[in-house]
């Protein structure tokens, strides 16, 4: 790694079995920043996880910038951002890396971050990291459920930040797909209503809306893509059809196609092409 002046730090390394490149540039001064640089250079998952507890302030986050999550304000939040990068980038060539992140102890502090209402940078980095760490990793998803994450994640579906809501919904989807028995608790907690609430025709963001449609589709279909009738009926009762019809004519072709496909599944009725 390189230290640029007193505060600027630029880190570059190749992580995982696939040697995926990760670069981080930030400004900070202090012992925990030095320790973060050493942990990055040594690729020590345990030391990175240990730094999640750090409250040492960052002076600035230079890169990478997340599309919606707030910049880390502390070394602890920066460690969380690195875990998210490892789970999203380095795991591409190293499928076992996600399991090793939880084995290193990342789950508990990330769950604590998720409850930090007064520290949105920690809360947002946690939901981003957990959405990646549980994606295509049923063991991590089950561990998260066993740790009692479901109620907190459902509560976070009401976040005013669209990206946060989407990441929480995706994490919930990963948990429920890992074991469909978890879906009953998800529905009991009001998760289905919250998911349908994400089909906001006024959202104004194609990617977030597409993710919301996919999440609802996954929650109403089994692993083989077969509609689960009792879940579909509940979705219809909660207003999913009306929301999808409104969305269908107001967004790009990919969103419209996804909305049409789910409409057909939920109702069995052909929906006229708005074009």
């Amino acid at each position: 790694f390189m230290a640029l002046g007193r505060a600027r730090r630029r880190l570059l390394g190749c992580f995982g079995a696939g040697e995926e490149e990760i670069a981080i540039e930030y400004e900070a001064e202090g012992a925990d920043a030095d320790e973060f640089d050493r942990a990055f250079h040594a690729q020590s998952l345990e030391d990175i996880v240990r730094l999640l507890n750090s409250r040492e302030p960052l002076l600035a986050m230079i890169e990478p910038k997340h599309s919606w999550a707030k910049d880390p304000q502390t070394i602890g939040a920066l460690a969380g951002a690195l875990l998210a990068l490892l789970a999203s980038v380095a795991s591409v060539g190293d499928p076992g890396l996600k399991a090793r992140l939880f084995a290193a102890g990342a789950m508990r502090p990330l769950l604590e971050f998720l409850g930090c209402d007064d520290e949105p940078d920690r809360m947002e980095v946690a939901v981003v990291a957990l959405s990646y760490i549980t994606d295509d990793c049923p063991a991590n998803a089950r561990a998260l459920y066993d740790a009692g994450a479901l109620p907190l994640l459902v509560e976070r579906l009401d976040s005013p930040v669209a990206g946060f809501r989407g990441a929480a919904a995706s994490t919930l989807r990963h948990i429920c797909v890992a074991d469909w028995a978890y879906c009953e608790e998800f529905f009991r907690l009001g998760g289905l209503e919250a998911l349908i609430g994400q089909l906001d025709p006024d959202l104004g963001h194609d990617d977030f809306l597409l993710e919301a449609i996919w999440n609802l589709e996954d929650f109403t279909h089994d692993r083989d893509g077969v509609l689960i009738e009792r879940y579909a009926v509940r979705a219809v009762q909660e207003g999913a059809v009306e929301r999808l019809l409104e969305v269908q004519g107001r967004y790009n072709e990919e969103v419209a196609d996804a909305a049409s496909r789910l409409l057909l599944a939920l109702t069995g009725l052909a929906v006229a092409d708005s074009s």
Side-chain angles (χ1 to χ4, degrees):
F1 62 87
M2 291 187 293
L4 308 178
R6 285 187 60 197
R8 180 73 62 92
R9 299 158 185 265
R10 180 181 297 159
L11 310 177
L12 180 65
C14 294
F15 288 79
E19 292 290 302
E20 300 292 336
E21 184 176 286
I22 290 178
I24 293 179
E25 188 171 348
Y26 71 104
E27 293 182 1
E29 296 177 339
D32 287 351
D34 293 340
E35 183 58 30
F36 180 85
D37 294 354
R38 284 192 290 269
F40 182 99
H41 185 64
Q43 301 190 11
S44 170
L45 299 184
E46 290 77 10
D47 288 341
I48 295 167
V49 167
R50 196 172 300 116
L51 284 163
L52 289 168
N53 293 320
S54 173
R55 299 282 178 172
E56 189 174 278
L58 253 68
L59 302 177
M61 182 70 182
I62 311 301
E63 65 169 321
K65 295 282 190 177
H66 193 268
S67 60
W68 59 264
K70 289 180 172 57
D71 286 345
Q73 301 298 302
T74 63
I75 294 298
L78 180 63
L82 177 53
L83 293 179
L85 285 169
L86 291 173
S88 61
V89 177
S91 67
V92 171
D94 189 350
L97 177 58
K98 294 180 182 183
R100 296 201 300 277
L101 293 177
F102 267 17
M107 182 179 66
R108 288 291 179 183
L110 287 175
L111 274 178
E112 291 176 6
F113 275 24
L114 199 57
C116 292
D117 294 276
D118 57 342
E119 296 176 284
D121 62 317
R122 291 171 103 84
M123 189 167 60
E124 291 175 5
V125 79
V127 78
V128 172
L130 289 172
S131 69
Y132 286 124
I133 290 173
T134 54
D135 189 15
D136 289 326
C137 189
N140 282 357
R142 292 188 187 97
L144 203 57
Y145 175 85
D146 290 341
L150 210 64
L152 182 55
L153 285 164
V154 170
E155 180 183 327
R156 294 309 186 206
L157 291 176
D158 289 333
S159 168
V161 181
F164 190 102
R165 295 194 303 268
S170 294
T171 307
L172 285 161
R173 183 187 72 220
H174 302 154
I175 291 172
C176 291
V177 168
D179 191 327
W180 284 102
Y182 303 157
C183 275
E184 293 300 328
E185 182 178 355
F186 171 78
F187 289 131
R188 181 180 59 78
L189 291 168
L192 181 62
E193 294 85 344
L195 276 185
I196 293 169
Q198 292 189 9
L199 301 174
D200 181 1
D202 297 320
L203 184 60
H205 197 296
D206 292 336
D207 290 343
F208 291 159
L209 195 52
L210 186 61
E211 185 176 20
I213 294 171
W214 286 342
N215 283 333
L216 183 58
E217 185 173 34
D218 283 345
F219 273 105
T220 53
H221 291 71
D222 66 18
R223 292 186 183 89
D224 298 319
V226 177
L227 189 72
I228 303 172
E229 186 174 345
R230 67 184 186 278
Y231 296 164
V233 168
R234 289 184 62 174
V236 171
Q237 291 171 342
E238 293 297 332
V241 170
E242 291 79 6
R243 288 288 186 116
L244 289 166
L245 282 169
E246 194 169 357
V247 161
Q248 188 184 33
R250 294 176 57 177
Y251 285 83
N252 67 23
E253 184 177 355
E254 189 175 13
V255 172
D257 287 347
S260 295
R261 185 173 59 250
L262 185 51
L263 274 166
L264 288 170
L266 291 179
T267 68
L269 300 176
V271 179
D273 188 345
S274 60
S275 62

